[in-house]
Amino acid sequence: MHARTRPYIPFIAKLVAIGSTLGLTTGVSARIYTGTCQLAQEPIPKNYSQIWPNICIRNHLGVHYLNGAHLNMEDHRFEDEEAESLFFGRSYLGLNFWHSVTMHFQGLAKSRQDLEHSDSPNFDQKITEYAFLQLGNPTLSPIQASVGKIDLPFGLNDRPLETLMDHVKRNYWPRRKWGLQLSKKNNNQTRYEIGVSLKDVEGWQDTLEQGELDQASARASIDLAALEGTKLIASFLTDADRLDHYSMAILNRSQGAFISLEWVRQLLPEGSNYWFHQLFRLNYLSKRAKFSQWLIQFEDDRKNAWLLTGQWRLFPTSFSTLMLTVSHRRSFQAGEKSKWFAFFGTEVNL
């Protein structure tokens, strides 16, 4: 499937370059927005013609150096050290034809390589992360529909360290697939969502032609005024193999800091050693100071491993970030060593 979607990556990259040239400083040239893509006016029913149509282009680049090692507790020395570099680029393109008709594309290209090799990065992983048509506006429309390669509405899956920690595999949340999602919002407080996805075949054309359902999910969320803003989320997912997933999550903002907690349970087929897998994930993002910010993430993957990560972010400019990340993964599997990871790098938003 990915092989057939790769042509979108250079196409989006060209649009990113054009958009950056036209509107990087003003962000409004020819209704082409970059960076945060913040509209010059708040969207209200009376000013549609002044705001739409428009284009949003965002580009995110990063370079990180990674080091991983096992700590021998007998002599307190690190062993089996591994060092590698991570290069990645992510491009987003939003085509806003009207306030209720939009298209969204996002592609990711990345390369991991051993530091002993001095070859230039080979971006061997090129992925269309999502590509979908959306009917309805999140702010103005009570009902929305999305069709394309999308996330099914399940859980929170807050992943602030997704790119760095991609070596830690998690199967609790569904992968982005071709599908359909519907959502309804009531009084800006509650939202109900349902979605279905198709089974992956060899390519997206075959997937759409065969049209075999793979997964279905439902999610309900409510916004509360507690502590400057709290969201409660409950969701359910089932697949063609009749394996069910459940999730409960809470997201809160207080005094500029964000905290999220999610519980996910995945039922397993008969004959497995356990009848379910379960994960708890806690994220804490501190209030952003003038030049720095902290991020802490803890995951407890039942009977598999726990993972604790801390990240310090430094902002030398408004569009760049320096990052220092330290992570420890404690394995519960027989014969699998626990490891420490350290990451240092920089990321740039355009």
Side-chain angles (χ1 to χ4, degrees):
M1 178 176 176
H2 291 162
R4 298 194 182 187
T5 59
R6 287 183 181 181
Y8 289 111
I9 304 298
F11 171 72
I12 294 175
K14 291 179 181 179
L15 287 174
V16 169
I18 295 173
S20 298
T21 303
L22 291 177
L24 181 60
T25 57
T26 64
V28 193
S29 176
R31 290 190 179 179
I32 297 178
Y33 295 81
T34 61
T36 59
C37 293
Q38 185 173 356
L39 293 173
Q41 305 177 50
E42 287 293 327
I44 59 176
K46 294 182 179 180
N47 66 2
Y48 290 162
S49 61
Q50 301 175 34
I51 298 178
W52 287 277
N54 61 61
I55 297 176
C56 173
I57 300 174
R58 290 196 298 264
N59 198 22
H60 187 80
L61 307 175
V63 179
H64 287 267
Y65 296 96
L66 299 76
N67 188 279
H70 160 64
L71 179 60
N72 189 326
M73 297 304 296
E74 295 181 359
D75 54 13
H76 300 283
R77 291 185 179 181
F78 286 103
E79 301 175 346
D80 305 324
E81 293 192 48
E82 301 175 2
E84 61 182 13
S85 57
L86 169 65
F87 299 84
F88 71 91
R90 177 178 278 114
S91 295
Y92 166 81
L93 171 65
L95 304 176
N96 303 277
F97 304 108
W98 195 240
H99 70 281
S100 57
V101 181
T102 59
M103 294 187 69
H104 306 267
F105 305 87
Q106 182 162 294
L108 171 69
K110 60 182 178 180
S111 173
R112 282 181 180 267
Q113 59 183 140
D114 194 308
L115 287 179
E116 294 182 359
H117 298 85
S118 59
D119 297 338
S120 59
N122 178 20
F123 291 91
D124 51 347
Q125 290 181 278
K126 299 178 181 179
I127 304 169
T128 300
E129 294 189 298
Y130 55 76
F132 63 91
L133 171 69
Q134 179 174 287
L135 302 178
N137 185 283
T139 304
L140 304 174
S141 307
I143 298 178
Q144 293 176 250
S146 301
V147 59
K149 187 175 183 181
I150 56 176
D151 279 317
L152 281 183
F154 176 77
L156 176 62
N157 199 13
D158 188 10
R159 300 173 291 178
L161 300 170
E162 175 187 9
T163 305
L164 286 184
M165 307 301 292
D166 61 356
H167 57 280
V168 180
K169 304 302 181 183
R170 307 171 180 89
N171 299 314
Y172 291 92
W173 295 272
R175 293 186 298 110
R176 293 183 178 106
K177 296 183 178 181
W178 292 93
L180 171 68
Q181 176 179 336
L182 301 174
S183 65
K184 185 178 187 301
K185 179 177 62 177
N186 294 331
N187 302 322
N188 294 324
Q189 292 184 334
T190 58
R191 181 182 292 272
Y192 303 98
E193 302 165 275
I194 59 173
V196 294
S197 66
L198 302 178
K199 279 190 174 181
D200 285 336
V201 193
E202 293 185 0
W204 66 270
Q205 295 96 332
D206 298 329
T207 299
L208 297 180
E209 287 176 3
Q210 297 191 20
E212 186 176 353
L213 291 180
D214 181 44
Q215 294 178 322
S217 67
R219 179 169 62 191
S221 60
I222 181 171
D223 292 319
L224 306 175
L227 297 174
E228 299 184 20
T230 301
K231 183 186 289 289
L232 303 177
I233 304 171
S235 51
F236 169 78
L237 179 143
T238 188
D239 58 31
D241 298 324
R242 298 182 181 275
L243 300 180
D244 297 336
H245 301 65
Y246 305 87
S247 173
M248 296 288 293
I250 181 171
L251 176 66
N252 171 256
R253 174 178 179 175
S254 179
Q255 299 180 352
F258 290 86
I259 186 171
S260 66
L261 174 64
E262 182 170 15
W263 163 84
V264 186
R265 175 170 289 189
Q266 175 190 51
L267 300 187
L268 299 177
E270 295 183 3
S272 302
N273 294 332
Y274 311 107
W275 67 277
F276 68 87
H277 284 161
Q278 182 171 279
L279 182 138
F280 283 94
R281 175 188 283 169
L282 173 67
N283 285 325
Y284 174 77
L285 181 63
S286 72
K287 178 181 178 179
R288 177 168 172 170
K290 186 175 182 180
F291 294 110
S292 65
Q293 189 175 37
W294 283 95
L295 169 67
I296 298 176
Q297 182 180 86
F298 174 74
E299 290 185 354
D300 182 7
D301 192 344
R302 180 178 179 268
K303 297 186 180 300
N304 184 30
W306 62 256
L307 181 70
L308 178 63
T309 305
Q311 183 180 81
W312 179 55
R313 302 175 178 178
L314 181 65
F315 308 104
T317 67
S318 60
F319 58 87
S320 63
T321 308
L322 296 177
M323 298 180 179
L324 174 62
T325 309
V326 178
S327 179
H328 177 53
R329 184 176 187 271
R330 174 71 179 275
S331 176
F332 301 144
Q333 301 295 320
E336 184 175 345
K337 298 179 179 180
S338 299
K339 295 196 70 173
W340 286 87
F341 300 92
F343 312 81
F344 176 76
T346 181
E347 297 183 9
V348 178
N349 291 300
L350 298 179

